[in-house]
Amino acid sequence: MAKFTCGVPQGSTLGPLLFLLNVNDLPLVLNFKTYLFADDTILLLSANSMHELTTKINQELGSVDNWLKSNKLSLNYS
């Protein structure tokens, strides 16, 4: 049997509330326009040129990665 040091069992009553409390600070650490809904997040960013947009997105995705690691979360790429 696996030993867990953090997290909430899937299907628990408090799971959705605790998840929302956990992710509510994400918009505070990003320059993306951020929309949070249930377990989905939309990140929007604009720029004057494709080069500027690419640079901004790469910098911001680094911030997202740091936030995920510090909150012991992972991104589902599928």
Side-chain angles (χ1 to χ4, degrees):
M1 189 156 125
K3 180 180 177 183
F4 294 97
T5 59
C6 65
V8 177
Q10 186 172 359
S12 70
T13 305
L14 286 177
L17 176 62
L18 294 173
F19 178 78
L20 289 174
L21 290 172
N22 194 39
V23 299
N24 271 345
D25 69 333
L26 178 62
L28 302 176
V29 299
L30 301 177
N31 290 319
F32 282 109
K33 177 72 175 168
T34 308
Y35 296 94
L36 301 173
F37 180 76
D39 62 350
D40 288 328
T41 302
I42 298 172
L43 305 173
L44 301 174
L45 194 61
S46 63
N48 294 323
S49 70
M50 185 59 74
H51 175 70
E52 181 184 355
L53 183 62
T54 303
T55 301
K56 282 181 165 182
I57 287 175
N58 284 326
Q59 289 172 346
E60 288 302 303
L61 289 177
S63 297
V64 171
D65 186 53
N66 289 337
W67 183 88
L68 287 167
K69 287 177 184 173
S70 67
N71 286 281
K72 298 180 182 178
L73 295 171
S74 61
L75 196 56
N76 181 351
Y77 290 100
S78 63

